[in-house]
Amino acid sequence: MRVFAEKGVEDYTISKRIINRAKEIIPLTQGLTEPLSPKDIYLFYYKGSFIKSCPGTKNYLCCGYRIFHFAEGCPLGCSYCVLQAYFSSSGSRIIANTIEDGLAQLSLFLKKKKEEKRLIRLGTGEFTDSLVFEPFLKLVPELISLWKTLDPLAILELKTKTAPPEEFYNSLPSDGRIIFAWSVNTEKVISQEERYTASLAQRFRSAEGALKRGFSLAFHFDPIILYEGAEEEYSQVLEEILNLFPLNRIAWISLGTLRFPAELKEIAIQNFPQTKIYAQEFIRGLDQKYRYFVERRIDIYTKLLKNFAPYLKELPLYFCMEGKRVWEEVLKKPLQTPEELAKLLDDYAKKCFF
């Protein structure tokens, strides 16, 4: 791991933690002048807001999620990852002043929202994996300590494709408002399209460790990728989740099929020449992203959930970036606005945590 450090960031807490683990430190005086390799890290000072709204997508139902922004990029090597198109360089950019300035901003934000008595759903896994850098970043204990101190009307979701050991969770103070969430897929997709991620079994073992410690769980089927036999295999993954974990400890389960901006296809095929997932038929959606035809999306959602039809009202399901037609035809929920979706997820959260 090479670490490129922007001038002036050496004394920040995050910088010290990373530099102590690095094999090679490259100080920069004039900014980054060479492309990063996938395992490189660029430490930089961030002047903007650490609290952001989820970028969502136009013309589809978005849930009003908030993001705590601490890093950009991910070394896990997923062929479908949209971050390949968002950022021009490989490697990861980590904000050096996250603990000093980011947590201060987050503290003020949570205090204000608590006064407004509004539930906040916030996560860290939008522009990176929430836990992939945790072995040397040690950000999660800082975040949970903040939750304990402030006691906000808020949940924190930490989404990952890694598998921390049980000892990791045992070292943290238990808090049901903290959701450890896993992006899940079929073994076929994991083995072929998610190069450096944990296996499905490893993710589930890790989730069991979080559950034992008193944390809440979530699972995200995103992206669902179509191939022969996919419906049955995705259904089996959902069945395994429901067999392993009590429903009252699962905050939510999301479903979303493969979608991508036009520029991603060429970049992804160059980075992952073995992938076949872009060879299917797609249509440009209302948000200008490419998607499977809506009839195919409805079909796979319906078949995936077929065996769970009697329990659909009990399952905390939601669709990520789908329109009104999908909600109505698959889940029989006539949601019309993003506000209605946000309320649905707030209700899921309140049932679990408050």
Side-chain angles (χ1 to χ4, degrees):
M1 178 177 73
R2 295 187 304 171
V3 174
F4 294 82
E6 192 177 79
K7 185 179 180 180
V9 304
E10 299 84 359
D11 291 332
Y12 287 107
T13 303
I14 290 288
S15 298
K16 291 178 180 178
R17 290 174 181 174
I18 293 177
I19 289 171
N20 285 340
R21 293 285 298 268
K23 292 182 179 179
E24 183 180 1
I25 309 297
I26 303 172
L28 302 175
T29 57
Q30 296 182 339
L32 193 60
T33 57
E34 64 175 278
L36 298 174
S37 66
K39 293 186 178 181
D40 288 342
I41 288 176
Y42 174 43
L43 281 168
F44 70 104
Y45 178 82
Y46 185 61
K47 298 178 181 179
S49 173
F50 285 78
I51 316 298
K52 301 178 181 294
S53 296
C54 175
T57 190
K58 293 181 179 179
N59 301 304
Y60 294 93
L61 296 177
C62 187
C63 70
Y65 198 64
R66 302 294 182 95
I67 299 158
F68 180 68
H69 183 55
F70 75 95
E72 301 169 352
C74 178
L76 291 177
C78 298
S79 64
Y80 53 75
C81 183
V82 73
L83 299 181
Q84 298 172 89
Y86 285 174
F87 306 120
S88 58
S89 178
S90 298
S92 302
R93 294 162 47 91
I94 296 179
I95 300 174
N97 55 317
T98 293
I99 289 177
E100 286 80 1
D101 299 331
L103 292 186
Q105 284 189 23
L106 181 58
S107 178
L108 290 174
F109 174 80
L110 292 174
K111 287 176 182 177
K112 179 180 178 182
K113 294 303 178 183
K114 185 177 180 180
E115 292 172 359
E116 296 174 2
K117 297 182 179 180
R118 292 180 56 191
L119 176 65
I120 297 299
R121 288 173 285 104
L122 185 141
T124 65
E126 186 68 23
F127 299 113
T128 187
D129 183 282
S130 292
L131 302 182
V132 69
F133 303 116
E134 192 58 23
F136 50 86
L137 214 61
K138 309 297 184 187
L139 179 60
V140 170
E142 306 272 1
L143 289 167
I144 295 179
S145 295
L146 188 65
W147 247 252
K148 289 289 190 183
T149 303
L150 296 179
D151 192 28
L153 186 65
I155 63 96
L156 173 66
E157 184 175 25
L158 303 168
K159 190 188 301 183
T160 189
K161 295 190 186 83
T162 68
E166 190 170 335
E167 293 74 23
F168 166 71
Y169 304 106
N170 291 340
S171 70
L172 301 171
S174 176
D175 192 327
R177 295 169 300 179
I178 309 300
I179 304 171
F180 284 95
W182 279 265
S183 294
V184 295
N185 226 299
T186 65
E187 289 289 10
K188 178 183 177 72
V189 172
I190 291 171
S191 64
Q192 294 182 359
E193 310 296 341
E194 299 181 0
R195 183 180 292 171
Y196 303 120
T197 66
S199 70
L200 188 62
Q202 289 170 332
R203 297 180 208 187
F204 286 159
R205 281 197 297 272
S206 186
E208 288 172 341
L211 183 67
K212 288 178 185 177
R213 185 58 179 158
F215 296 106
S216 299
L217 307 176
F219 298 95
H220 298 278
F221 288 76
D222 197 352
I224 293 170
I225 293 172
L226 299 187
Y227 59 88
E228 187 174 352
E231 298 91 341
E232 181 179 349
E233 292 183 20
Y234 280 108
S235 186
Q236 290 171 353
V237 175
L238 178 56
E239 183 175 6
E240 190 170 359
I241 289 170
L242 297 178
N243 286 336
L244 285 172
F245 307 106
L247 198 57
N248 65 349
R249 299 293 298 281
I250 299 175
W252 41 64
I253 300 169
S254 75
L255 305 173
T257 54
L258 178 66
R259 56 201 178 276
F260 54 92
E263 61 270 24
L264 177 63
K265 180 177 179 179
E266 184 177 345
I267 296 170
I269 291 174
Q270 181 177 347
N271 291 340
F272 302 92
Q274 81 288 348
T275 186
K276 307 297 183 192
I277 64 176
Y278 300 99
Q280 300 195 47
E281 282 190 301
F282 297 95
I283 188 172
R284 206 156 194 169
L286 297 173
D287 56 356
Q288 299 305 304
K289 291 182 179 179
Y290 283 96
R291 300 166 171 261
Y292 300 123
F293 287 86
V294 66
E295 291 81 8
R296 297 191 73 196
R297 304 201 309 269
I298 289 173
D299 182 63
I300 193 169
Y301 292 142
T302 302
K303 290 178 178 176
L304 191 165
L305 297 173
K306 181 180 179 181
N307 294 336
F308 310 96
Y311 316 105
L312 284 186
K313 290 185 179 179
E314 302 172 32
L315 299 181
L317 294 171
Y318 76 94
F319 291 115
C320 189
M321 304 307 167
E322 284 289 5
K324 303 170 189 176
R325 179 181 169 186
V326 173
W327 278 92
E328 175 66 42
E329 293 194 24
V330 180
L331 294 182
K332 313 304 178 188
K333 292 183 178 180
L335 297 183
Q336 298 295 315
T337 66
E339 290 75 21
E340 289 177 298
L341 174 55
K343 183 180 183 304
L344 176 69
L345 296 193
D346 288 351
D347 290 343
Y348 286 160
K350 289 173 183 175
K351 191 182 300 182
C352 248
F353 320 118
F354 301 109

